[in-house]
Amino acid sequence: MATKKRAGDAPIPKLLDGVNLSRTLPPLMPANFISRSNLVDSIDVRSPGTTLIVGPIGYGKTSLVAEIAQRNEGRTFWYTMVDEDTAPKFNSHVIQSVRNIIPEFAPWFVEDLNIDPMELITRFSSELASHKGDFLFIVDNRRSQNAADFAIANEMIKSLPNNLHLIQVRRNKPDASDTELAPFGNLQTIDQNDLKFSADELMTIVNLSGLTKQSAKVMEILASTQGWPAAVQLIIRGIAKGVNFKISAKQISSSIDPLRLIVEEFVQSLPFEDKTFLLPLSIVDEFTPELAQAILGSSYSQSALDALASEGTVLSKSIDSTPVYKIHSIIREFLYQELSRNESICADYHRLASLHFERDLDATRALEHAFQSKDFIRFEQLFRAGARVYAITGRGNDLLRWAKYAGDETVQGQIQRQTVEIGGHLANLSFDKAEALKASMKLQSRGTALESFIDRYVALIDVAINFSIGQFKDFEIIAEIAFSDDVFAGDVDFTDALFVLRRLAGYYFVTDNVEKLEEVDQQAKELLARKFSPLGHVHQLAVRALCAYQHSYYQEAFESSRMALSLSNNLEMASFQAPLDIKYILARCHYEFTDIDRSYEIFNDVIGSSEKNQQWVWHCTALSFVAVSRAQRGEELEATQMLRGARDKISLIHSKNQLHSILDRGELVLQMISGDLEKMKLLIETSLPGRSTELIKLHILRAEGKEWDPSNGAELPERTPRQRIYKYLSQTVHAYETDEELAITYLTQALKVGAEVGAKAVFIRQRELYPLFHKVAIRTPTFYNEEISRKVATRMQEIESKKGVPPVLTKREIEIVKHLDSGKPITSIGAALHISHNTMKTHLKNIYRKLGVEGRDQAVEKAKTLGLI
């Protein structure tokens, strides 16, 4: 269990990607901070319970909870929530806030884990309950009223463990009953009346500031604030700095917004040195010492910065190793208003900030400050890079916001703007809007110098959308157009071309076209060698992972996908660029290495994330694999329900697509497991082409008595290890019916190839060959063969344990069992039902397997017991 400690006593654990550390630590309180001991003492923070601290800006809410956190060091988690926090960022900040105190907390959490915030809170609460001691969780909610807030507050409260007290800091009280806010009964609400300074506190502040001899006018002004903490502090600090307040108590008490009135007076009367120092820094909402130095140049002084932060009236400072400073929001507003009166000086400071952010690889803020500096040539240069960042991170609204600056009012300029707008709609997953604008832009470009560029750009958009929804008609033709070069394209680092190759690789992967996949893999390597870029590297690694997996080079596929995922996370790739193909391969590799739990965890992430990001090909592909896997483990009903649910979802997609054929291929395997030959014959016609489809065609031929000669191997390729494994397995299955020795020979060959590439799960899925694996292990007792034999035995036990559930027989199988009860010979039953001898043998094998029996008499008896006949 975790040992309670101060955050400063040990280094902060590894920072999760995308986390702003300062928002997971309490703010540093100024040395002259006025303690509110009486109010803090009145707040009961025993566990479990909920405390709401509610009030407008300037009422000292954050200062109050910071004092609570200071009193409870080593057991307080802190999270400052802001408007920019997406669901993944919320998840990462919550976990980081706890790991600051309990470093080993939530080992299951990784940055790329796709999990709903409410589910995260449930798992978080469950794990925290296992830790000894009582804890506080302070959530300082800075989100604006108009922000789309998470529906997690109630979930957090409902799932509170007995050792946690939740403190929520908000501007408004949640719309919920007391029972909902505190199901355990320990609810406290501190509102703005409680937050106001009392008369005694006001006098204490005056005395500590040495202002007891000030005039009655000053005391009258202080009294007019009615205890508003921010107003009181500003007036006291201002007077201490020599500010001569010209406003009267009457003006303050009669003002609609008295705080703004006081702040304006305070800023206007700041000492010259302080104001000169602060004015340039008001162009940013927060800054590090490095940024401050970049903006201030020779005027920068660390001691001056720390002195202002220590005094606390104007600046706040975080407590992490690289401190972040913030000018209090209302003061910053008035400082910036004053700075903006001199446009050229203001623009110069924005230019300096933009250069800093460009060096710091922060494209968004570099772009924003370049625009504010009115350096539009530099803005256009940055926009090209920034637009790509927005597109790959799913920030379509930012693209739409800046689109109007992407071109002038000429036809060419309007088309340029439309390309940015389409990119914004695509990043927002608004495919219908992108399609509509694409058609308009294509028509508008006819006869212009941009016509060929627009044709290529439209094809690039089609590649993205068509793959997302599984529209594979003419996919290769469209990809070829998108892959072509164009003088206006500006694809100097080939990232667009590599994106197209990545989608082609995904298409060839799901259709099992190994030869084409190899070609794409080679093209991707060559392009990356010509011009390296981080984004291009991600695309190339994704292609390599897909190709390596198809060859059964599982370790290489695993390493390539893991590296690609790490780079994708660094680039914060999301939306239609979310790394779902990479995660799919990673899950398949874990499955092949028989790490089934981790595999299912990643598969579930892919299934959920692909639905969220409308990447339906990977949704259907991942879900089909999991469904087949569950059926092979004896969970056939659950597998069928999974596929049915997926069909319901994709039926809502109105564009033509081949998604149902991906699901048909999954259901085809399910029907082979259940032995329903008639349904298999129907599904084989609609299933997406691929290796498994071709193998099942051979299975159907064999079941119908139409012999396939496995000796020549003409129907099955064997160029890659994967192909050789499946060829030998098919030959094993065919031989097993008549020649067990030959079947063992083929299976031994398959296992030899499997050992070379590390394949395991592919063998464990072969349920009808289970008895042979043990025999091979006895005859050829290698470590690998014995491991496969043990895993097969474990899988057999799992399947046996599920036999308490009544087996599902097809209508045809039930009909056969009824005839078995008649005592007629098998040949007569087959003739009566118009079933060939080989098909009859296949049906009987499936019936006996499902019922767990060894012959016809036992089958009849078991079927009667279960009420099947």
Side-chain angles (χ1 to χ4, degrees):
M1 294 300 165
T3 302
K4 293 182 186 178
K5 57 185 177 298
R6 296 172 49 143
D9 289 344
I12 296 295
K14 178 182 177 294
L15 193 65
L16 291 167
D17 289 343
V19 165
N20 183 329
L21 181 60
S22 64
R23 293 203 285 112
T24 65
L25 296 170
L28 182 66
M29 301 311 298
N32 58 3
F33 170 73
I34 305 301
S35 174
R36 307 204 65 183
S37 297
N38 290 338
L39 185 53
V40 172
D41 290 341
S42 70
I43 299 174
D44 182 2
V45 293
R46 288 176 301 172
S47 305
T50 303
T51 297
L52 294 177
I53 299 179
V54 183
I57 190 170
Y59 269 81
K61 303 183 295 296
T62 299
S63 300
L64 176 64
V65 290
E67 185 173 357
I68 294 173
Q70 193 176 60
R71 287 197 186 188
N72 294 275
E73 281 186 305
R75 71 184 194 97
T76 299
F77 317 135
W78 182 289
Y79 169 35
T80 301
M81 186 188 294
V82 297
D83 284 341
E84 292 75 23
D85 283 349
T86 58
K89 284 188 176 181
F90 169 85
N91 293 342
S92 294
H93 278 84
V94 166
I95 297 300
Q96 183 70 51
S97 68
V98 183
R99 287 185 183 174
N100 292 342
I101 304 298
I102 310 173
E104 72 277 15
F105 186 80
W108 45 266
F109 182 82
V110 289
E111 294 92 329
D112 59 306
L113 180 63
N114 182 53
I115 184 172
D116 183 80
M118 288 188 279
E119 183 184 347
L120 177 114
I121 290 300
T122 301
R123 293 182 67 174
F124 150 87
S125 300
S126 176
E127 179 162 344
L128 186 63
S130 67
H131 287 265
K132 291 180 180 178
D134 289 336
F135 298 93
L136 292 179
F137 198 148
I138 297 174
V139 180
D140 188 1
N141 191 342
R142 304 282 184 86
R143 293 166 71 84
S144 65
Q145 289 183 338
N146 294 328
D149 213 343
F150 297 116
I152 58 167
N154 287 347
E155 188 63 35
M156 182 178 278
I157 292 166
K158 282 191 297 184
S159 61
L160 275 180
N162 288 329
N163 60 342
L164 182 68
H165 187 97
L166 174 66
I167 299 179
Q168 292 191 68
V169 180
R170 305 174 59 94
R171 294 179 187 173
N172 305 94
K173 186 175 179 180
D175 184 18
S177 68
D178 288 355
T179 303
E180 291 174 308
L181 291 172
F184 298 102
N186 184 14
L187 172 67
Q188 303 162 92
T189 302
I190 307 298
D191 61 19
Q192 64 187 68
N193 292 321
D194 301 307
L195 292 167
K196 290 178 180 179
F197 284 139
S198 66
D200 289 342
E201 286 177 318
L202 190 59
M203 286 309 302
T204 299
I205 296 170
V206 170
N207 291 331
L208 288 174
S209 303
L211 301 178
T212 51
K213 296 181 181 180
Q214 290 295 323
S215 67
K217 177 187 176 184
V218 172
M219 299 306 295
E220 187 181 4
I221 290 175
L222 286 172
S224 70
T225 64
Q226 298 180 17
W228 194 338
V232 170
Q233 297 279 15
L234 277 174
I235 291 171
I236 293 290
R237 305 298 182 209
I239 294 172
K241 285 177 172 287
V243 174
N244 180 22
F245 281 95
K246 299 175 183 178
I247 53 176
S248 66
K250 183 177 180 181
Q251 286 175 301
I252 294 172
S253 59
S254 62
S255 173
I256 297 175
D257 194 348
L259 183 59
R260 294 181 68 83
L261 192 65
I262 295 167
V263 171
E264 184 175 16
E265 181 83 5
F266 177 85
V267 170
Q268 287 176 356
S269 306
L270 272 173
F272 176 78
E273 296 82 5
D274 288 354
K275 186 181 286 190
T276 302
F277 191 78
L278 291 167
L279 278 172
L281 296 174
S282 67
I283 66 170
V284 289
D285 56 355
E286 63 180 31
F287 52 89
T288 60
E290 291 77 16
L291 176 55
Q293 191 167 13
I295 294 172
L296 293 171
S298 60
S299 300
Y300 173 76
S301 167
Q302 184 64 47
S303 59
L305 191 60
D306 285 331
L308 285 166
S310 177
E311 192 271 336
T313 306
V314 178
L315 274 180
S316 66
K317 177 184 177 183
S318 68
I319 65 173
D320 43 316
S321 56
T322 303
V324 176
Y325 298 83
K326 291 183 103 171
I327 301 175
H328 298 315
S329 57
I330 302 181
I331 295 175
R332 176 179 167 243
E333 180 184 338
F334 281 96
L335 285 169
Y336 188 71
Q337 282 179 7
E338 185 169 333
L339 179 68
S340 301
R341 294 187 189 117
N342 190 322
E343 291 186 6
S344 63
I345 291 177
C346 185
D348 282 343
Y349 287 128
H350 277 296
R351 182 181 60 82
L352 291 170
S354 178
L355 289 169
H356 170 83
F357 287 125
E358 184 180 7
R359 289 192 298 270
D360 208 34
L361 302 180
D362 188 337
T364 300
R365 288 197 280 185
L367 185 65
E368 290 174 348
H369 286 283
F371 182 76
Q372 294 290 340
S373 72
K374 296 180 171 55
D375 183 351
F376 296 113
I377 295 176
R378 188 164 175 278
F379 170 81
E380 185 175 350
Q381 294 170 342
L382 287 171
F383 182 74
R384 285 180 176 270
R388 177 161 288 163
V389 171
Y390 294 144
I392 68 172
T393 56
R395 294 161 63 184
N397 288 337
D398 285 321
L399 276 173
L400 295 173
R401 169 191 169 197
W402 294 110
K404 59 184 176 182
Y405 304 109
D408 54 29
E409 292 307 312
T410 63
V411 172
Q412 182 170 322
Q414 291 175 30
I415 293 173
Q416 287 175 330
R417 285 204 304 270
Q418 288 177 332
T419 62
V420 178
E421 289 173 4
I422 288 175
H425 292 313
L426 187 60
N428 283 344
L429 303 174
S430 301
F431 295 156
D432 53 344
K433 292 180 180 179
E435 292 277 11
L437 196 55
K438 181 190 72 177
S440 169
M441 182 181 66
K442 193 168 184 177
L443 182 64
Q444 200 172 4
S445 70
R446 288 292 172 255
T448 71
L450 290 175
E451 183 173 353
S452 62
F453 162 70
I454 293 304
D455 286 342
R456 176 185 180 275
Y457 183 78
V458 165
L460 186 64
I461 299 302
D462 283 339
V463 165
I465 295 177
N466 290 2
F467 187 85
S468 297
I469 62 173
Q471 171 54 280
F472 292 147
K473 185 172 187 272
D474 299 328
F475 189 75
E476 291 171 286
I477 296 172
I478 295 168
E480 186 178 353
I481 297 170
F483 187 73
S484 62
D485 195 13
D486 184 88
V487 66
F488 291 104
D491 189 22
V492 292
D493 56 4
F494 305 116
T495 49
D496 289 344
L498 283 163
F499 170 79
V500 174
L501 291 178
R502 181 174 176 181
R503 288 296 176 258
L504 266 176
Y507 168 67
Y508 293 139
F509 180 88
V510 297
T511 55
D512 288 322
N513 193 332
V514 179
E515 290 77 12
K516 288 288 188 180
L517 188 51
E518 289 170 346
E519 291 177 16
V520 170
D521 183 38
Q522 185 60 36
Q523 286 178 292
K525 288 176 185 175
E526 291 171 359
L527 283 183
L528 190 71
R530 288 172 63 185
K531 180 68 175 179
F532 181 88
S533 70
L535 179 57
H537 195 200
V538 173
H539 293 326
Q540 184 269 326
L541 283 169
V543 174
R544 177 85 283 267
L546 290 163
C547 188
Y549 189 91
Q550 275 289 28
H551 284 85
S552 287
Y553 298 139
Y554 299 120
Q555 195 59 48
E556 184 181 357
F558 179 75
E559 294 301 333
S560 295
S561 58
R562 191 166 62 172
M563 189 186 304
L565 185 58
S566 177
L567 293 173
S568 297
N569 291 337
N570 291 340
L571 293 171
E572 298 184 1
M573 297 179 74
S575 183
F576 71 99
Q577 297 257 24
L580 298 167
D581 48 356
I582 297 167
K583 290 183 180 181
Y584 177 83
I585 294 298
L586 199 59
R588 288 289 298 262
C589 289
H590 277 289
Y591 193 91
E592 201 59 48
F593 301 151
T594 65
D595 185 358
I596 305 300
D597 290 342
R598 179 61 180 144
S599 173
Y600 275 10
E601 190 174 294
I602 301 173
F603 271 128
N604 288 333
D605 179 13
V606 174
I607 292 167
S609 184
S610 57
E611 180 179 357
K612 172 187 171 186
N613 292 297
Q614 298 184 40
Q615 300 301 293
W616 294 105
V617 167
W618 294 116
H619 180 84
C620 293
T621 304
L623 188 140
S624 292
F625 184 86
V626 174
V628 168
S629 172
R630 293 187 67 176
Q632 289 166 335
R633 300 169 76 94
E635 302 171 13
E636 295 175 33
L637 180 60
E638 293 84 351
T640 302
Q641 290 171 341
M642 284 183 70
L643 291 175
R644 187 179 298 125
R647 290 191 190 280
D648 290 342
K649 288 175 183 175
I650 65 173
S651 65
L652 301 176
I653 300 172
H654 301 300
S655 304
K656 291 182 179 179
N657 60 74
Q658 279 71 56
L659 296 173
H660 280 287
S661 67
I662 297 176
L663 297 177
D664 285 346
R665 189 166 66 183
E667 188 174 348
L668 178 62
V669 181
L670 260 62
Q671 298 305 332
M672 186 179 76
I673 292 170
S674 67
D676 193 331
L677 188 61
E678 298 307 315
K679 285 187 178 178
M680 288 166 60
K681 289 163 69 175
L682 292 174
L683 288 166
I684 202 74
E685 301 300 325
T686 58
S687 294
L688 191 71
R691 183 197 64 257
S692 59
T693 307
E694 294 305 311
L695 290 174
I696 292 174
K697 278 184 181 178
L698 297 177
H699 178 90
I700 293 171
L701 285 174
R702 192 170 65 250
E704 292 182 327
K706 299 173 183 177
E707 286 301 316
W708 162 63
D709 180 8
S711 60
N712 59 36
E715 290 89 345
L716 295 175
E718 53 179 330
R719 289 179 56 253
T720 70
R722 187 181 182 84
Q723 290 172 341
R724 290 196 292 276
I725 289 172
Y726 278 98
K727 175 187 174 181
Y728 291 140
L729 285 175
S730 297
Q731 291 172 325
T732 304
V733 171
H734 186 273
Y736 192 24
E737 294 180 357
T738 56
D739 189 340
E740 185 174 292
E741 286 301 316
L742 182 60
I744 290 174
T745 301
Y746 285 134
L747 184 58
T748 302
Q749 290 176 302
L751 286 166
K752 183 179 178 182
V753 179
E756 292 171 359
V757 296
K760 295 177 184 177
V762 63
F763 297 113
I764 299 168
R765 292 196 293 269
Q766 310 303 317
R767 286 173 59 174
E768 58 188 316
L769 300 180
Y770 280 179
L772 291 185
F773 286 104
H774 182 60
K775 294 179 180 180
V776 171
I778 292 174
R779 296 187 186 188
T780 315
T782 65
F783 176 82
Y784 177 81
N785 288 350
E786 289 183 348
E787 182 186 11
I788 297 297
S789 179
R790 286 194 301 272
K791 290 183 180 296
V792 163
T794 301
R795 177 62 62 84
M796 290 174 67
Q797 291 172 359
E798 289 177 359
I799 295 170
E800 284 295 321
S801 69
K802 294 182 173 69
K803 284 188 176 178
V805 179
V808 178
L809 298 185
T810 65
K811 289 181 179 179
R812 180 61 113 184
E813 288 168 347
I814 291 173
E815 195 174 9
I816 291 171
V817 174
K818 288 178 179 178
H819 278 77
L820 290 177
D821 191 29
S822 68
K824 293 178 182 177
I826 299 299
T827 51
S828 299
I829 295 173
L833 296 174
H834 306 289
I835 300 174
S836 71
H837 181 65
N838 281 336
T839 303
M840 190 67 182
K841 285 170 61 179
T842 301
H843 279 309
L844 289 172
K845 185 189 297 183
N846 288 325
I847 291 168
Y848 297 161
R849 175 180 57 80
K850 289 181 182 182
L851 295 176
V853 298
E854 295 181 357
R856 63 183 291 169
D857 293 339
Q858 290 182 10
V860 171
E861 184 178 348
K862 185 73 171 284
K864 288 179 177 178
T865 302
L866 295 172
L868 298 175
I869 60 172

